[in-house]
Amino acid sequence: RHGMTQTYIADAEAAGARVGSSLAVDRLVRKGDRVVGARGRRVNGHTVTGRVHIRCRYAFVCAGAIGTPALLRRSGITRHVGNTLQLHPMARVVASFADEVAEGDFGVPVRQINHFKPELTLGCSVSTPAHLALWMTGRGSQDLEEIAPRTAVFYALVRSTTRGRVRHPWPLPEPLVFFDLSRSDYGRLADGMHKLCEVLFAAGAQQIMLPMPALPAATTLAQVEAMLARIPRVRPEITAIHLFASCPLGSDGTAPLDPFGKVREVSNLFVNDCSMLPGALGGSPQGTVMAISMRNVDRFLSAG
């Protein structure tokens, strides 16, 4: 695993690119059907230290599934932009065992059950004491310290069909994200947690805490089933990962981008990040984004 500083950014700088940091781009500057530049601020933390005006012949926006549609909409490019955000809802459970399960450097464990993909992924999550405390609110610090070596966090990740919205109304400093899980989403999460708990009990778990703080820990699968039957009336604590599809590419006019990432309303503006993916993948989008981005750049360069 290598960061971008060791991969594409290093290659770009070697080819003559200049990388500017501590900049916040507020909007793109348009002239007719072209983008001629961008206006923004130099920042140091939350302090503005100066103004910036960037000129360009072509512009690529790669600000992510939230930042890209927010920037486009602030710049007056709104047609079908920010209306189709998709993500992977994720439910976490905490399981305690008789034996130690903690590792010296837990990090992000890469242990998964992929049998149910792409609709469902089961796996092991970050399980440092701080993360355990987050998902075990209400337990005393001594109790947590004592059980931490025998306790770990696990997740059930599902592919949602819900589509959210990204907006950035003035004068708010950050975009607003609207995303409401559907009843079917809650059903998928309940099914995922049931399968996950079944695996954990078979692996020797002594008790499992579901992401519903008002309910006690379960020691049998029957107790888990009774708790899950209360979803969505008792809504579990849900997080999200893998955001994409808020500015999708496509071959018809309902997509804001053409099949190679060019913004349809603007002749020299391209989007080349996870927001361009047309839908939820059911897994990490990293490899897909990198492959499509390289394809788009190859097409751009070959077109002169």
Side-chain angles (χ1 to χ4, degrees), residues 226-245:
M227 295 177 186
L228 293 178
R230 303 173 66 179
I231 296 174
R233 182 168 55 86
V234 177
R235 295 191 174 186
E237 295 180 334
I238 303 300
T239 58
I241 193 172
H242 303 153
L243 281 65
F244 30 62

Side-chain angles (χ1 to χ4, degrees), residues 1 23 38 64 92 94 120 140 144 154 212 227 244 257 274 279 290 301:
R1 296 181 177 180
L23 300 176
R92 287 180 172 87
V94 180
L120 170 66
L144 177 61
F154 301 86
M212 293 180 276
M227 295 177 186
F244 30 62
L257 311 179
C274 55
M290 294 169 71
L301 294 174

Side-chain angles (χ1 to χ4, degrees), residues 191-257:
D191 177 66
M193 283 188 282
H194 181 275
K195 287 183 170 65
L196 178 60
C197 291
E198 187 175 4
V199 169
L200 293 174
F201 279 129
Q206 295 183 320
Q207 68 173 18
I208 297 176
M209 285 161 274
L210 296 177
M212 293 180 276
L215 301 181
T219 57
T220 67
L221 189 60
Q223 293 175 340
V224 168
E225 292 169 348
M227 295 177 186
L228 293 178
R230 303 173 66 179
I231 296 174
R233 182 168 55 86
V234 177
R235 295 191 174 186
E237 295 180 334
I238 303 300
T239 58
I241 193 172
H242 303 153
L243 281 65
F244 30 62
S246 55
C247 196
L249 50 78
S251 58
D252 59 31
T254 63
L257 311 179

Side-chain angles (χ1 to χ4, degrees), residues 28 61 68-77 81 247 263 269 271:
L28 303 172
V61 177
T68 288
L71 175 59
L72 295 183
R73 294 187 68 88
R74 289 199 306 269
S75 306
I77 304 169
V81 171
C247 196
V263 177
L269 176 62
V271 169

Side-chain angles (χ1 to χ4, degrees), residues 102-119:
E103 300 176 0
D105 182 16
F106 227 141
V108 181
V110 288
R111 300 175 180 89
Q112 292 184 340
I113 296 175
N114 294 322
H115 178 75
F116 308 104
K117 274 195 171 185
E119 302 303 324

Side-chain angles (χ1 to χ4, degrees), residues 86-300:
Q86 289 195 272
L87 49 80
H88 291 147
M90 176 185 286
R92 287 180 172 87
V93 305
V94 180
S96 295
F97 298 81
D99 300 321
E100 287 195 9
V101 294
E103 300 176 0
D105 182 16
F106 227 141
V108 181
V110 288
R111 300 175 180 89
Q112 292 184 340
I113 296 175
N114 294 322
H115 178 75
F116 308 104
K117 274 195 171 185
E119 302 303 324
L120 170 66
T121 304
L122 307 177
C124 186
S125 186
V126 179
S127 300
T128 63
H131 285 85
L132 287 173
L134 177 65
W135 295 106
M136 296 173 60
T137 303
R139 287 181 172 263
S141 58
Q142 290 183 335
D143 187 18
L144 177 61
E145 184 176 346
E146 189 274 327
I147 68 172
R150 298 179 286 106
T151 305
V153 185
F154 301 86
Y155 67 82
L157 176 153
V158 301
R159 184 163 69 167
S160 170
T161 58
T162 301
R163 295 182 181 272
R165 295 178 294 122
V166 179
R167 296 292 185 269
H168 199 167
W170 186 88
L172 295 182
E174 299 292 340
L176 295 179
V177 178
F178 302 87
F179 196 96
D180 295 320
L181 292 177
S182 66
R183 179 173 289 273
S184 63
D185 289 332
Y186 281 112
R188 292 185 184 94
L189 287 165
D191 177 66
M193 283 188 282
H194 181 275
K195 287 183 170 65
L196 178 60
C197 291
E198 187 175 4
V199 169
L200 293 174
F201 279 129
Q206 295 183 320
Q207 68 173 18
I208 297 176
M209 285 161 274
L210 296 177
M212 293 180 276
L215 301 181
T219 57
T220 67
L221 189 60
Q223 293 175 340
V224 168
E225 292 169 348
M227 295 177 186
L228 293 178
R230 303 173 66 179
I231 296 174
R233 182 168 55 86
V234 177
R235 295 191 174 186
E237 295 180 334
I238 303 300
T239 58
I241 193 172
H242 303 153
L243 281 65
F244 30 62
S246 55
C247 196
L249 50 78
S251 58
D252 59 31
T254 63
L257 311 179
D258 76 6
F260 291 90
K262 190 185 81 65
V263 177
R264 294 186 186 278
E265 292 185 30
V266 187
S267 62
N268 65 334
L269 176 62
F270 300 82
V271 169
N272 216 27
D273 61 15
C274 55
S275 63
M276 69 179 170
L277 299 184
L281 303 177
S284 171
Q286 180 178 358
T288 304
V289 171
M290 294 169 71
I292 296 178
S293 297
M294 294 178 69
R295 181 204 68 149
N296 292 349
V297 171
D298 286 342
R299 168 65 176 263
F300 173 79

